[in-house]
Amino acid sequence: MLKVIRKNQIFILLIGMFITIPEVFLGNDRIETVKELMESGQLHLVRQQIAKLAEGQELPEEDVLELCDLLEAQDQIPLAISFLEKQCRYHSHSTKIYERLANYYLQNNQVLKAVRVYEKLVQENPQKRDYWVQLGQLYTWNEQQMQAIKAYEKAIKLDSTDVQTMRRLNQLYLWNGRELDAFLLQRKILRQEPQDLALWKEHGIQARWLGKNIEAIASFKNILIRDPQNTEALFLLGETYLWMDKTKEAEICFRQVLKMQPDHLQARFYYSQLRQWQPFGWWEARNNYRWILQRQPNHQESQKYLRLIRKNYGPLLKSTAYYIHDSNELKKTQIMLKYQRYLSARWLMCAESFYRRLEEQKSNGHFISFGEGARLGAKLHLTQRTRFFVWGGFVGFNQAENFALVEFQWQQTLSNSQSWPGELYSTLSLNYDQILDGVLAIKRKLTAKRIQQSFYWEPSSPIHIGSDLQYSWYSDDNRKTQLYLSGEYRFYSGFPSLFLKLLFAYEDMTLIYPDAVPYWTPDNFWTRSIGLDALLPVGNKVSLRGGFALTQQSGNELASNWKAEVNWHPNDFSHIYLNYQDFGSRYYSYRNFQGGFSYRW
């Protein structure tokens, strides 16, 4: 009985072998048949054979891949995809077959299907870095950036030296607003590839946006160590210094950039910005802004700062006219036209012409004198704080009398530091001229020398204080002393602005000329005044200012004074004003009309 069973088993095994071997050979024959059909160009028969091979049986992995190679060589990717999709049922764990299928999906622009294939591969092979990298790339192509980030992060954990994947992840971080993550990742890349100048630049720029300016500076310096002629890195270094208010370091960088690349427009602009706030640097800045606007006429920032320089330093044409009628029946008129222009950052040249007229009606006669004159002046800015001014000219009157006009002036800024808020400066003047204020008779041909010392404090606050001390001596040994103190306090800056005004004045003459024509001879004469001014803007260009004051002179009772003024600024470079003032007391008073204009270009 046992022998019979063994014989049956052997018989069954032989039958199985007989059946199986032809199937294998049959598959191989079909592959050869496919080759022959492809070579003869009978593609419709090829499709039929492929369909039979795909559905009829499980083929060995190497046969599947070989057949795919044949189809790929004939550019039959869709047919290869169909074949592989069916064979995947028999080879669910064949990474080679799934890799080939994903590759064909990509060639056929079926990215989403390729994604699904690699999701299966990484699930079954989570420690294979290449699959995570490929999946991250597919996610990126399919606009699935968050999933791509996770895939790349997994790949980097598996291999921390994979710089190429780090670079891809860095880009995704930046695209998705994860600047800090990108910044930290760039550090890791640069440790492995310190010669990558482009990444050093990107790292420096990223550091600036994160407020890490120190590290940004280090990045740009790393570039310059390896490439000293890299003007872009030098510019970025200067710009970073500028953002940190390290103006000296920034200026050095921009100057070096312009030496290497004179047509670097932005470096020239930044350099000009730094120079214009330095002593005498406005001249160089102005030339640079003009250079920029010649090449880029619509550069708004250059236009802005050029206008600012013009507003303060542009050539000036100025005219003033005033008329005074005082209680002594003295009438004084003067019209003046002035022109000034900077020849360099330190030298200012001035020219001035004027007309003057004096008229007085006295019991002993009617006096009129008028004349014209002119003078030239030069102002030297020796340092930022020290300035010298010299004037020279003449004035001739209708009585054929000519007088020389000479003035020397020294102006010193005493303080402009934070410890003394605002600017405090002093002016010392020495004048030699003919007296025109009615103190002495013109016909006597008396001249005067006058020394004048003034202080003015304009702090960065609502308070302004000024003083003026004059001492004059004349050719007839007379002497005159004058002292003026003034103050202004803006105690309300709303609409309108309100100011408290204070004034104290003292005048004294050694000799008195009661019969002088004309004359005004004070003797220990003092004035005190307190008032209130209101400034009312009318639109953006016109303002009105009015004031009322109580004044007491030389022990007399209080007198009411008032003034009115209108100012018009048609633009940033022109000014027109009119002023009327009624000032004094019964002892001495005057009414004054004044107007003028100025224009810079």
Side-chain angles (χ1 to χ4, degrees):
M1 185 68 181
L2 182 60
K3 292 180 179 180
V4 174
I5 292 173
R6 288 179 178 176
K7 289 180 180 180
N8 290 338
Q9 288 176 343
I10 293 172
F11 179 74
I12 293 170
L13 179 62
L14 290 174
I15 293 175
M17 291 177 61
F18 178 79
I19 295 173
T20 303
I21 291 172
E23 286 298 327
V24 175
F25 285 115
L26 182 60
N28 292 332
D29 290 341
R30 288 183 179 179
I31 292 175
E32 293 298 327
T33 302
V34 170
K35 290 181 181 180
E36 294 174 358
L37 292 174
M38 283 186 178
E39 290 174 357
S40 62
Q42 301 181 60
L43 295 179
H44 64 288
L45 296 177
V46 170
R47 294 189 183 92
Q48 293 176 2
Q49 291 295 325
I50 291 296
K52 291 179 181 179
L53 286 170
E55 296 178 358
Q57 62 186 20
E58 174 186 353
L59 296 178
E61 182 183 82
E62 58 271 17
D63 291 345
V64 172
L65 296 176
E66 181 182 2
L67 191 55
C68 287
D69 290 339
L70 294 174
L71 293 172
E72 184 177 352
Q74 295 295 322
D75 197 23
Q76 296 297 314
I77 301 301
L79 189 56
I81 290 174
S82 177
F83 171 66
L84 285 176
E85 286 177 340
K86 294 176 181 178
Q87 281 295 311
C88 281
R89 291 177 296 181
Y90 307 113
H91 301 279
S92 60
H93 299 290
S94 173
T95 57
K96 292 183 179 180
I97 289 178
Y98 276 96
E99 286 176 11
R100 184 68 64 90
L101 179 59
N103 183 46
Y104 289 160
Y105 278 146
L106 292 176
Q107 292 184 48
N108 207 41
N109 295 320
Q110 295 176 281
V111 179
L112 184 58
K113 288 186 177 181
V115 169
R116 299 293 176 259
V117 171
Y118 270 98
E119 286 177 341
K120 172 180 172 56
L121 288 172
V122 298
Q123 184 177 4
E124 295 181 355
N125 305 274
Q127 299 302 313
K128 193 163 183 179
R129 180 194 63 84
D130 292 343
Y131 288 162
W132 287 107
V133 172
Q134 186 64 32
L135 181 59
Q137 189 170 2
L138 294 176
Y139 278 140
T140 304
W141 292 346
N142 202 44
E143 298 297 332
Q144 295 173 274
Q145 294 185 11
M146 300 308 297
Q147 292 89 329
I149 289 174
K150 294 178 180 179
Y152 283 141
E153 287 176 340
K154 181 64 176 178
I156 292 172
K157 286 182 180 179
L158 295 172
D159 183 2
S160 60
T161 64
D162 186 0
V163 173
Q164 186 61 35
T165 301
M166 289 183 185
R167 292 180 183 277
R168 293 176 181 175
L169 180 58
N170 170 63
Q171 196 62 49
L172 285 171
Y173 280 151
L174 294 175
W175 289 349
N176 289 273
R178 295 174 63 173
E179 289 84 2
L180 181 58
D181 290 329
F183 176 75
L184 298 175
L185 186 60
Q186 289 163 9
R187 281 182 181 173
K188 297 179 180 179
I189 299 172
L190 288 169
R191 290 193 192 105
Q192 299 184 51
E193 296 187 356
Q195 300 300 323
D196 190 339
L197 301 187
L199 187 59
W200 277 117
K201 171 190 166 184
E202 181 181 332
H203 187 62
I205 293 174
Q206 194 65 33
R208 295 198 310 182
W209 284 113
L210 292 170
K212 301 179 181 295
N213 290 322
I214 300 299
E215 189 153 352
I217 288 174
S219 297
F220 300 136
K221 285 183 176 180
N222 265 304
I223 297 174
L224 293 170
I225 290 172
R226 295 166 174 83
D227 182 10
Q229 300 302 313
N230 193 312
T231 55
E232 186 177 15
L234 190 58
F235 170 78
L236 290 170
L237 179 61
E239 191 175 46
T240 308
Y241 278 135
L242 187 63
W243 291 1
M244 297 174 68
D245 289 329
K246 294 186 175 182
T247 55
K248 292 182 179 179
E249 293 86 348
E251 184 178 337
I252 292 172
C253 291
F254 295 136
R255 186 187 299 117
Q256 189 64 28
V257 170
L258 293 175
K259 285 182 180 179
M260 294 188 292
Q261 191 176 338
D263 60 346
H264 197 300
L265 189 145
Q266 191 63 25
R268 189 172 293 274
F269 173 72
Y270 281 145
Y271 179 71
S272 303
Q273 278 192 305
L274 293 170
R275 290 293 297 153
Q276 77 179 61
W277 304 115
Q278 297 180 20
F280 318 116
W282 66 268
W283 182 272
E284 184 180 4
R286 184 188 65 174
N287 293 337
N288 281 329
Y289 291 139
R290 289 175 175 174
W291 182 93
I292 293 172
L293 290 172
Q294 286 177 355
R295 290 155 179 78
Q296 191 173 326
N298 295 323
H299 196 275
Q300 295 183 356
E301 290 297 308
S302 292
Q303 292 174 350
K304 169 186 172 182
Y305 288 107
L306 190 60
R307 287 172 65 89
L308 182 62
I309 292 174
R310 173 185 170 185
K311 184 177 179 180
N312 291 280
Y313 301 103
L316 173 67
L317 180 65
K318 182 178 181 180
S319 177
T320 59
Y322 71 81
Y323 171 77
I324 296 177
H325 186 181
D326 68 11
S327 54
N328 289 322
E329 294 300 324
L330 175 65
K331 301 174 182 177
K332 299 165 61 176
T333 303
Q334 176 170 304
I335 301 174
M336 182 271 292
L337 183 65
K338 179 179 181 180
Y339 173 78
Q340 69 179 35
R341 183 185 186 92
Y342 278 93
L343 301 181
S344 70
R346 293 176 181 266
W347 279 100
L348 175 68
M349 301 299 295
C350 302
E352 185 179 287
S353 62
F354 50 83
Y355 168 80
R356 293 173 176 173
R357 185 178 188 274
L358 292 175
E359 178 180 0
E360 189 170 25
Q361 182 67 47
K362 285 292 187 181
S363 58
N364 58 352
H366 185 206
F367 174 82
I368 297 179
S369 180
F370 56 87
E372 301 85 22
R375 61 178 187 165
L376 295 175
K379 188 174 186 178
L380 170 62
H381 293 256
L382 189 62
T383 66
Q384 184 183 10
R385 294 190 174 192
T386 304
R387 299 167 286 278
F388 289 100
F389 213 146
V390 58
W391 283 98
F394 74 96
V395 57
F397 287 91
N398 60 314
Q399 299 175 356
E401 298 178 9
N402 296 315
F403 297 90
L405 303 175
V406 180
E407 179 180 353
F408 296 96
Q409 187 180 96
W410 166 58
Q411 191 175 81
Q412 181 72 36
T413 300
L414 302 177
S415 177
N416 56 2
S417 64
Q418 294 182 354
S419 59
W420 185 282
E423 184 177 65
L424 173 67
Y425 64 86
S426 170
T427 302
L428 177 64
S429 303
L430 179 63
N431 298 67
Y432 175 83
D433 60 13
Q434 185 271 337
I435 303 304
L436 298 173
D437 61 358
V439 174
L440 300 175
I442 293 176
K443 65 181 182 179
R444 294 187 180 189
K445 297 185 179 180
L446 295 177
T447 58
K449 302 180 184 69
R450 180 170 70 253
I451 186 170
Q452 178 178 348
Q453 174 69 60
S454 62
F455 291 92
Y456 190 77
W457 178 35
E458 186 174 3
S460 51
S461 68
I463 301 174
H464 292 174
I465 297 175
S467 68
D468 187 14
L469 174 63
Q470 298 182 29
Y471 182 76
S472 306
W473 62 99
Y474 307 104
S475 56
D476 62 348
D477 294 329
N478 202 354
R479 300 289 187 269
K480 182 180 180 180
T481 303
Q482 295 172 284
L483 173 64
Y484 300 94
L485 299 173
S486 63
E488 177 183 285
Y489 172 59
R490 185 180 64 190
F491 62 89
Y492 180 69
S493 57
F495 185 84
S497 297
L498 299 178
F499 302 83
L500 178 65
K501 303 279 289 186
L502 299 172
L503 172 69
F504 175 80
Y506 172 79
E507 297 185 35
D508 180 57
M509 290 288 292
T510 303
L511 302 176
I512 303 299
Y513 296 93
D515 58 345
V517 181
Y519 76 91
W520 166 239
T521 53
D523 182 16
N524 293 318
F525 177 72
W526 51 261
T527 301
R528 292 179 295 187
S529 179
I530 182 171
L532 182 68
D533 282 13
L535 176 63
L536 178 66
V538 182
N540 295 326
K541 298 180 178 180
V542 179
S543 64
L544 301 176
R545 182 162 183 166
F548 174 80
L550 295 175
T551 302
Q552 187 179 36
Q553 291 181 320
S554 296
N556 287 280
E557 70 242 18
L558 291 174
S560 299
N561 304 148
W562 62 279
K563 68 177 182 180
E565 181 176 291
V566 56
N567 287 274
W568 178 33
H569 294 269
N571 52 52
D572 290 339
F573 316 112
S574 56
H575 177 212
I576 299 173
Y577 71 95
L578 293 172
N579 178 282
Y580 172 76
Q581 186 176 15
D582 186 340
F583 183 81
S585 66
R586 288 187 302 171
Y587 184 72
Y588 173 74
S589 64
Y590 66 84
R591 283 175 286 181
N592 175 30
F593 297 88
Q594 187 172 348
F597 76 89
S598 63
Y599 179 73
R600 289 189 184 272
W601 66 91

